[in-house]
Amino acid sequence: MTNPLLETWNTPFGLPPFDLIEDAHFAPAIETGMAEGLAEVEAVANAPEAATFENTIEGLMRTGAVLDRVLGVFYNLAGSDSTEKREEIMREFSPKLAAHSAAIYGNRALFARVEAVWQARESLDLTPEQARVLMLTHRGFVRAGAALEGDAAARMKEIKGRLATLGTTFGQNLLADERDWQRALSEAELEGMPQFVVDAVRAAGEERGADGPLLTLSRSVIVPFLQFCPNRSLREEAWRAWVARGENGGTTDNRNVAAEILVLRQERAQLLGYDDFASYKLETEMAKTPDAVRGLLMDVWHPAKAQAEADAALLEERMVADGVNGPLQAWDWRYYSEARRREEFALNEAELKPYLQLDRMIEAAFSCASRLFGLEFRALDVPLYHKDARAWEVTRNGKHVAVFIGDYFARASKRSGAWCSAMRTQRKFPDVQAPVVVNVCNFAKGDPALLSYDDARTLFHEFGHALHQMLSDVAYDMISGTSVARDFVELPSQLYEHWLEVPAVLQEFATHADTGESMPQEMLDKVLAAATYDMGFQTVEYVASALVDLTFHEGAPPADPMAEQARVLADLGMPESIVMRHATPHFAHVFTGDGYSSGYYSYMWSEVMDADAFEAFEEADGAFDPAMAQKLERFILSAGGSEEADVLYQKFRGRMPGVEALLKGRGLAA
């Protein structure tokens, strides 16, 4: 059987031949990629010549090309269009791939050569980028346990394999709970809700082959439902299903999975000589220490909690006026908050959404990138992995820059949330390679598809990540694009959200789905005035999650994570009518991998910078100031991880920011 994953891709822009790839191709391709990769690594490790940067560090970068190419396709499909077979492959190969990585980082001969180059670094005539890559390579080996010996090295290998299995299990359990829960809705239960919510549940039913409308746990369906459903008992039923993901008992329950992950992370950190996992993880981030993270979060927590409690009192008054006795509950917040927003800002989501068409918001994101960075976008007619996905060639001055793929609609086979990934990253070594970048979202389908303002912000956010990948201009893919500190990676994405709020952008692209007319100035003013509405609620649910994540990884791991979660929230004085944005059993950021473990705070850390960075544009000649755009590209978007994050930011802004701009931007400043 020929395997298209292992053949040369004679396709437009070297895209994967999605029309030829079948699930049966992945396992043999991954096996081949691992075998070839290890053989290539062995050749580098056992080279007879003395170790040099060229034959060892660059030599390593020449290895694993087949595996990287295969996994670039597989991981994208596993998250965005899962099948039983793909989930089975994920379960089978997660521990194998962890063992593969451990075999590379545990190769004593290879580490000896890396160490030799590191020790000779002062005598080598390295470029700044090469020096950075050498440091990161050496540090990566040490932090992976390359210096461990004997039982410690063997145990580290076991831990990594088990963590890989557990992370896969956590994610698949969560996807199963999100996919399997659904609630058929009668026509009577749809009464009182705006048409766009009705359309969303009808589309969800159609997507799942149901006879009528379905309420699902897709965020783009459940959140508007909680905002607009006048039936309180039905809101409670939906809310309880939403927050119970991962803790429903049975085979998909994630509570014990999370507990074991925390224990193994702590052991891993201690094997490497750290007191706890948070200390290990944060050492390479901008924050550096748990104390620095906690300091930022608490600086924001106090004003956010005060605002949320004041808002809760107002919402409870509305609820009582409706004849509902008892305290405001979590399933009441969004409903009464939406009613308050309609009254205070005369802003009705049902009237706003027709102006936020998905296609027009995509155009808006592209237009801003064109004005800022000279990028142009041309739709491509090429085979992709799903009928809902679409692709564009990105060029500048007629020169190819990247391929951008957008996959915007919710479906049962897609994990929840929104993300950006790269099937192929930018590099110049060992060959010149243009990136293939994917944005994945979970918007409700419609004809046309209409977004909430939060959805539109998500679209801009993920496109900010895409720009970080597409505008990367470095030699080595190890430091390309978003390969930066975790608490820096959200800067480009969160910064790009600000362009959605530029009045001229909304005036041009927020056009009514039926009439084509631009958003009225009065509505535009209301949208911008309400930009920080309900920010106490949003900040509290986020910061609570970040503080629980941090606490989990400081000191000894909790025997019962759910009890520890409850303790942390009680100590914070968590408002009773607000819950964590991500409770432990469905906290995918933290438990499906190490990416955001001890690092969920990073959105807030980056927000301190993004608020300050956009102020730089405002202080210049406005949102599209060409000089500031040039500096943003040069020092942030194109630089990747070529220097420390704080160095890059200071080159862009001239200084590091304080928390004041963030509080001001969220409407929480005193």
Side-chain angles (χ1 to χ4, degrees):
M1 178 182 72
T2 59
N3 191 326
L5 288 166
L6 299 175
E7 296 175 354
T8 301
W9 294 348
N10 294 314
T11 55
F13 311 105
L15 288 171
F18 289 112
D19 53 336
L20 303 178
I21 296 171
E22 301 173 2
D23 285 351
H25 294 136
F26 283 115
I30 295 172
E31 292 281 11
T32 297
M34 288 193 297
E36 290 187 8
L38 281 181
E40 292 163 350
V41 167
E42 285 293 333
V44 174
N46 298 312
E49 302 84 9
T52 64
F53 182 86
E54 290 74 15
N55 67 23
T56 301
I57 307 304
E58 288 188 338
L60 265 177
M61 293 183 188
R62 295 179 184 275
T63 69
V66 171
L67 184 61
D68 288 345
R69 186 172 68 162
V70 173
L71 292 180
V73 177
F74 176 72
Y75 282 137
N76 187 80
L77 268 62
S80 60
D81 193 27
S82 183
T83 64
E84 287 187 11
K85 181 61 177 177
R86 290 170 192 171
E87 291 182 12
E88 176 188 321
I89 295 168
M90 195 78 163
R91 290 191 295 271
E92 177 186 354
F93 280 95
S94 288
K96 288 184 177 181
L97 288 165
H100 175 78
S101 176
I104 295 172
Y105 284 103
N107 187 314
R108 305 294 298 175
L110 179 60
F111 179 56
R113 292 179 68 83
V114 172
E115 179 70 24
V117 179
W118 174 248
Q119 293 301 330
R121 63 190 181 280
E122 298 298 335
S123 64
L124 305 177
D125 186 21
L126 300 180
T127 67
E129 196 172 313
Q130 289 173 328
R132 174 75 172 167
V133 164
L134 173 58
M135 184 280 289
L136 292 172
T137 302
H138 181 263
R139 186 177 76 181
F141 270 85
V142 172
R143 287 173 60 82
L148 298 178
E149 298 180 354
D151 292 344
R155 179 58 182 156
M156 179 64 80
K157 183 177 180 180
E158 291 174 359
I159 289 172
K160 288 182 178 180
R162 181 60 179 161
L163 283 172
T165 297
L166 291 169
T168 298
T169 299
F170 190 99
Q172 292 189 353
N173 286 348
L174 179 55
L175 177 61
D177 276 6
E178 292 173 344
R179 180 180 57 217
D180 294 345
W181 189 90
Q182 57 190 39
R183 166 67 152 80
L185 297 171
S186 68
E187 293 300 319
E189 288 172 327
L190 298 179
E191 291 181 5
M193 286 188 281
Q195 190 61 43
F196 75 86
V197 177
V198 175
D199 290 343
V201 294
R202 291 195 192 284
E206 183 177 339
E207 192 265 328
R208 296 195 179 202
D211 293 333
L214 278 185
L215 179 61
T216 71
L217 296 184
S218 168
R219 190 176 188 90
S220 62
V221 175
I222 194 82
V223 170
F225 186 86
L226 292 170
Q227 279 180 285
F228 292 100
C229 176
N231 184 327
R232 191 180 190 224
S233 62
L234 189 52
R235 289 201 310 270
E236 180 179 359
E237 181 184 349
W239 180 86
R240 290 194 182 280
W242 171 244
V243 299
R245 292 166 296 149
E247 56 177 316
N248 288 304
T251 58
T252 62
D253 198 294
N254 272 332
R255 286 171 286 191
N256 289 335
V257 178
E260 187 178 353
I261 287 172
L262 293 173
V263 169
L264 291 174
R265 283 177 178 165
Q266 173 74 353
E267 185 180 357
R268 175 183 172 190
Q270 290 183 329
L271 281 172
L272 294 170
Y274 297 87
D275 291 337
D276 52 38
F277 187 80
S279 299
Y280 160 75
K281 184 65 184 300
L282 294 172
E283 180 184 53
T284 59
E285 308 297 343
M286 291 184 75
K288 302 300 181 189
T289 68
D291 285 346
V293 172
R294 190 174 296 279
L296 168 67
L297 294 175
M298 293 309 296
D299 282 347
V300 177
W301 172 261
H302 294 296
K305 181 188 173 189
Q307 182 64 59
E309 288 174 334
D311 290 342
L314 295 174
L315 299 184
E316 191 164 303
E317 288 178 7
R318 289 176 170 274
M319 190 178 75
V320 172
D322 267 2
V324 180
N325 295 320
L328 183 77
Q329 299 290 349
W331 52 87
D332 297 317
W333 189 293
R334 287 181 172 87
Y335 179 74
Y336 285 102
S337 179
E338 177 61 28
R340 180 187 168 202
R341 184 174 78 146
R342 285 198 302 270
E343 180 178 306
E344 292 193 3
F345 294 95
L347 189 61
N348 188 325
E349 183 85 1
E351 296 175 358
L352 174 62
K353 286 195 79 161
Y355 289 98
L356 300 176
Q357 301 174 68
L358 171 61
D359 286 349
R360 294 294 279 153
M361 291 300 101
I362 294 171
E363 288 181 47
F366 288 176
S367 173
C368 291
S370 179
R371 291 183 64 182
L372 288 165
F373 311 115
L375 299 179
E376 296 178 340
F377 300 82
R378 178 179 67 89
L380 295 174
D381 183 12
V382 293
L384 296 170
Y385 60 88
H386 192 277
K387 61 183 177 63
D388 287 342
R390 38 187 154 160
W392 294 264
E393 182 192 9
V394 186
T395 60
R396 179 155 58 182
N397 299 323
K399 182 180 178 182
H400 179 76
V401 173
V403 170
F404 173 69
I405 298 173
D407 181 1
Y408 295 107
F409 296 126
R411 53 179 172 267
S413 61
K414 184 188 287 187
R415 65 178 170 89
S416 62
W419 64 93
C420 175
S421 61
M423 288 191 187
R424 190 172 69 216
T425 55
Q426 178 272 331
R427 71 182 186 204
K428 300 173 185 175
F429 178 91
D431 54 2
V432 175
Q433 180 172 278
V436 176
V437 185
V438 188
N439 273 180
V440 184
C441 299
N442 270 282
F443 303 142
K445 258 189 175 180
D447 185 19
L450 304 178
L451 306 184
S452 68
Y453 195 70
D454 187 56
D455 288 338
R457 186 181 289 115
T458 296
L459 187 148
F460 268 70
H461 177 102
E462 298 307 333
F463 194 71
H465 281 309
L467 288 171
H468 203 179
Q469 294 277 19
M470 293 189 291
L471 291 174
S472 178
D473 186 22
V474 297
Y476 303 101
D477 55 9
M478 180 185 194
I479 54 172
S480 176
T482 57
S483 298
V484 299
R486 182 65 62 175
D487 49 11
F488 189 65
V489 76
E490 298 298 336
L491 169 61
S493 55
Q494 293 179 179
L495 175 59
Y496 205 64
E497 293 178 32
H498 289 273
W499 273 273
L500 175 62
E501 298 179 353
V502 174
V505 173
L506 287 173
Q507 287 166 350
E508 181 176 359
F509 294 99
T511 56
H512 197 280
D514 295 328
T515 67
E517 294 179 356
S518 296
M519 182 182 291
Q521 186 63 46
E522 182 182 7
M523 180 179 287
L524 176 61
D525 293 340
K526 293 172 184 176
V527 168
L528 297 176
T532 60
Y533 175 70
D534 218 19
M535 199 55 73
F537 169 85
Q538 294 178 40
T539 307
V540 162
E541 64 167 4
Y542 165 78
V543 174
S545 296
L547 284 165
V548 168
D549 164 44
L550 181 66
T551 303
F552 276 168
H553 295 96
E554 282 187 288
D560 181 349
M562 298 305 292
E564 181 68 357
Q565 172 184 295
R567 184 196 67 77
V568 172
L569 298 180
D571 288 350
L572 286 171
M574 184 78 167
E576 292 184 5
S577 51
I578 305 178
V579 297
M580 295 167 59
R581 181 173 298 177
H582 305 291
T584 299
H586 54 260
F587 209 160
H589 281 78
V590 170
F591 291 108
T592 55
D594 280 355
Y596 284 91
S597 55
S598 296
Y600 192 61
Y601 76 92
S602 59
Y603 291 92
M604 186 71 67
W605 192 276
S606 293
E607 189 176 341
V608 172
M609 291 180 285
D610 85 64
D612 180 67
F614 195 70
E615 278 192 352
F617 280 86
E618 293 177 323
E619 291 166 3
D621 195 27
F624 294 99
D625 181 79
M628 289 307 305
Q630 187 178 45
K631 287 182 69 176
L632 178 63
E633 178 176 354
R634 178 183 176 188
F635 296 121
I636 306 294
L637 298 176
S638 72
S642 58
E643 295 185 78
E644 291 291 331
D646 57 345
V647 172
L648 291 173
Y649 190 81
Q650 289 181 74
K651 284 184 175 182
F652 166 70
R653 190 66 165 114
R655 55 167 173 74
M656 291 302 292
V659 74
E660 296 78 15
L662 178 148
L663 294 175
K664 177 184 174 184
R666 284 185 170 244
L668 300 174

